[in-house]
Amino acid sequence: MLIPHDTRIALDMVVDLVNTAPESEATDRLADVDALYGFVQDHSVSGVERLSAGDLLGVQGVRSRFAEIFAAPDARSAAELVNQLVAAAGTTPQLTDHDGYDWHVHYFAPGASVADHLAADGGMALAFIVVTGEQERLRRCEAPDCGRAFVDLSRNRSRRYCDSRTCGNRLHVAAYRARRKEAAG
């Protein structure tokens, strides 16, 4: 699956934002303005200078909407959610080349809040996945103690585990040990 660099960056941001939620972690990793500022810095979100408690609430709302898209049962449901999210963000597509990135598209309006910025760019990246018929690539880790979001970009859509907690390795080792124990017994 060929994904432009700006879409891939936006998808990574969406996944990381969804995974800040308390459902994915023991605690909310986006609980205060300082955490939001760290998230914005980690993802090189352009045009963000000052952040407020209102920005935090807005981004937490966008995070919830992204999580709903990951949980959508089918492409039609995902498309409706993406359309609502992107429309509410007030998209204004524009070509840009900044911060060492080649030409790419920003979908947020100039002067948009950080929540609208993330909703517009992240929503359009998710729209790209839905439009290409690949909505099933928006997944949750199948490890029993995890559930983190990820985008399966493997060729055959076979990825089952996130890569942030070594879930796949832990489960494969446990299965191997169980097979060895059964063979020895």
Side-chain angles (χ1 to χ4, degrees):
M1 172 174 209
L2 182 61
I3 299 177
H5 74 279
D6 56 331
T7 302
R8 178 61 190 261
I9 289 168
L11 287 171
D12 289 344
M13 178 276 303
V14 168
V15 166
D16 289 348
L17 182 59
V18 169
N19 288 333
T20 65
E23 300 89 45
S24 299
E25 297 289 329
T27 59
D28 188 342
R29 290 186 13 243
L30 199 61
D32 56 38
V33 175
D34 288 338
L36 176 58
Y37 185 75
F39 182 86
V40 165
Q41 293 296 83
D42 289 347
H43 291 279
S44 302
V45 178
S46 60
V48 177
E49 294 174 19
R50 281 184 257 132
L51 296 169
S52 68
D55 289 319
L56 177 63
L57 289 174
V59 171
Q60 288 172 335
V62 169
R63 175 179 69 185
S64 295
R65 301 303 304 269
F66 285 155
E68 290 174 23
I69 295 165
F70 270 80
D74 54 48
R76 182 164 304 284
S77 301
E80 288 175 16
L81 293 167
V82 168
N83 284 340
Q84 292 168 7
L85 179 70
V86 170
T91 58
T92 307
Q94 52 190 319
L95 286 169
T96 184
D97 64 338
H98 62 87
D99 298 331
Y101 292 108
D102 202 358
W103 287 106
H104 59 281
V105 180
H106 280 303
Y107 295 95
F108 58 92
S113 70
V114 67
D116 286 345
H117 180 142
L118 299 179
D121 280 358
M124 291 306 297
L126 292 170
F128 175 78
I129 296 296
V130 174
V131 164
T132 57
E134 302 288 351
Q135 185 256 340
E136 73 276 359
R137 290 181 181 270
L138 305 177
R139 297 201 175 152
R140 292 290 186 155
C141 182
E142 293 180 20
D145 60 340
C146 188
R148 291 173 59 87
F150 68 93
V151 179
D152 179 4
L153 296 177
S154 66
R155 283 185 125 177
N156 60 359
R157 298 177 197 86
S158 63
R159 190 167 153 210
R160 297 174 50 206
Y161 307 110
C162 70
D163 57 3
S164 59
R165 298 170 127 190
T166 65
C167 292
N169 287 343
R170 286 186 299 113
L171 292 170
H172 289 115
V173 168
Y176 171 77
R177 289 180 179 158
R179 285 191 307 272
R180 295 276 302 204
K181 184 176 180 181
E182 184 179 309

